[in-house]
Amino acid sequence: MKLGIRGHDLEKMPAEELARTISDKGFDAVQLAVGKSFDFYTGPGSLTKEISREIGETFRRHDVQIAVLGCYIQMIHPDTAVRRRELDRFKEHLAAANDFGCLLVGTETGNVHAEIAYTTDNFKEEPFLAVVESMKELAAEAEAQNAVIGVEAGVNHPIYSPETMKRLLDLIQSDHVRVIFDPVNLLTAETWENQAAIFQEAFHLFGDKIAVLHAKDVELKNGSLQAVPVGKGLIDYETVFRLIRETGRSIPVLLEDVRDPFIEESRQFLAAQHH
């Protein structure tokens, strides 16, 4: 099992230094969001072959797999001009994916409003169909570029449950679309106690499509779920890892939203879960 971390959960630093730091911390995978980890211009047109290849080779030299190239977009932004820019940005990442040597390019599914926050407006049919439209366009591009999209569900998005993810995958019908499974994103303060059933449902519906696991943890505080270091909260990782083992596949596990001084402790917790 590859264990990784988000690059931007560490300080900003040059690619060489970031790859070395991640390796020194005992990880062999990363979720890399170029715009969040580096100080150079990362807007439209910036992901040239040369830059993408150079960053990809740097991480390979340090034996760190770029498991996810992070490009989290607002794919159904209510302003169609903004939506178009977001989709084009994602397509640039798909075009660069093979030069980076990444497993997949990752995103969530946006929000019916410009700002991404929890709203039941997301759970209506119209936003769902808007996601399908955007995803079909991106899947076609992924196929053309021989790249893979990693799509992540979450309660702040129109794809908010195992059932909506399954429906999306069925409608897109593409081998170039896989799932980033984030257990925390499927839970609310009201549903976390039902987590084992929710996780089992997800693996039952699309376990074969799960390509990466996001590992974070939460506690219930003042009526809402708040981040804590992995292994210190409410998430039933025993069930999560059992479900992964039952697929018969090994997938990268990426720490998310964990920063020093808690990184090593969380890494050890995940490594112990695997054995």
Side-chain angles (χ1 to χ4, degrees):
M1 174 183 77
K2 284 191 182 296
L3 263 183
I5 190 170
R6 287 195 310 194
H8 59 279
D9 284 333
L10 301 169
E11 301 295 316
K12 276 192 175 181
M13 56 186 95
E16 177 71 35
E17 200 182 330
L18 182 60
R20 186 173 64 244
T21 301
I22 288 169
S23 177
D24 287 349
K25 285 182 177 293
F27 296 105
D28 52 8
V30 65
Q31 174 159 320
L32 185 69
V34 180
K36 292 180 177 180
S37 277
F38 305 126
D39 269 329
F40 58 81
Y41 169 74
T42 58
S46 64
L47 295 184
T48 63
K49 246 184 154 31
E50 186 184 22
I51 283 174
S52 306
R53 199 167 275 170
E54 190 182 318
I55 293 171
E57 283 172 359
T58 299
F59 279 87
R60 270 195 297 282
R61 257 200 322 279
H62 290 277
D63 293 321
V64 175
Q65 179 189 38
I66 302 175
V68 179
L69 189 62
C71 181
Y72 280 57
I73 59 167
Q74 200 346 349
M75 68 170 66
I76 60 166
H77 196 289
D79 180 331
T80 52
V82 176
R83 186 186 302 193
R84 175 49 44 206
R85 284 201 298 276
E86 292 280 273
L87 292 171
D88 287 347
R89 183 162 73 91
F90 197 87
K91 287 180 178 181
E92 278 198 13
H93 281 69
L94 288 172
N98 288 315
D99 289 317
F100 275 101
C102 66
L103 197 59
L104 40 84
V105 182
T107 185
E108 288 161 327
T109 54
N111 194 289
V112 72
H113 303 306
E115 293 301 312
I116 292 185
Y118 182 84
T119 167
T120 53
D121 294 349
N122 275 325
F123 306 161
K124 296 174 178 160
E125 185 70 352
E126 197 179 352
F128 174 84
L129 293 175
V131 169
V132 172
E133 189 183 348
S134 289
M135 280 296 301
K136 279 192 167 163
E137 182 180 331
L138 296 178
E141 185 69 12
E143 284 163 22
Q145 300 290 352
N146 196 27
V148 180
I149 297 167
V151 63
E152 183 177 341
V155 293
N156 295 340
H157 308 273
I159 306 303
Y160 60 92
S161 64
E163 294 75 18
T164 48
M165 177 63 86
K166 170 67 171 160
R167 190 175 165 216
L168 176 69
L169 294 170
D170 286 348
L171 287 168
I172 302 297
Q173 282 292 321
S174 172
D175 286 340
H176 292 260
V177 177
R178 292 276 184 270
V179 175
I180 297 171
F181 183 68
D182 187 320
V184 170
N185 282 11
L186 294 173
L187 306 178
T188 65
E190 290 72 46
T191 64
W192 73 266
E193 287 177 290
N194 196 29
Q195 59 179 300
I198 293 169
F199 302 160
Q200 277 163 344
E201 179 74 348
F203 275 81
H204 168 67
L205 292 174
F206 50 81
D208 58 325
K209 287 273 192 178
I210 295 173
V212 167
L213 173 73
H214 272 171
K216 57 190 184 204
D217 215 333
V218 285
E219 64 182 5
L220 192 60
K221 202 172 182 184
N222 304 326
S224 70
L225 297 178
Q226 299 187 12
V228 294
V230 172
K232 299 284 188 199
L234 301 169
I235 300 303
D236 177 6
Y237 275 104
E238 204 173 302
T239 293
V240 173
F241 278 90
R242 175 177 58 75
L243 290 165
I244 292 171
R245 279 194 296 277
E246 284 171 4
T247 69
R249 293 181 299 120
S250 178
I251 62 171
V253 176
L254 305 177
L255 263 188
E256 188 175 66
D257 219 10
V258 178
R259 292 173 178 80
D260 274 333
F262 303 108
I263 289 173
E264 174 57 17
E265 202 180 344
S266 293
R267 187 192 68 77
Q268 287 183 9
F269 171 80
L270 290 172
Q273 288 295 311
H274 178 59
H275 293 307

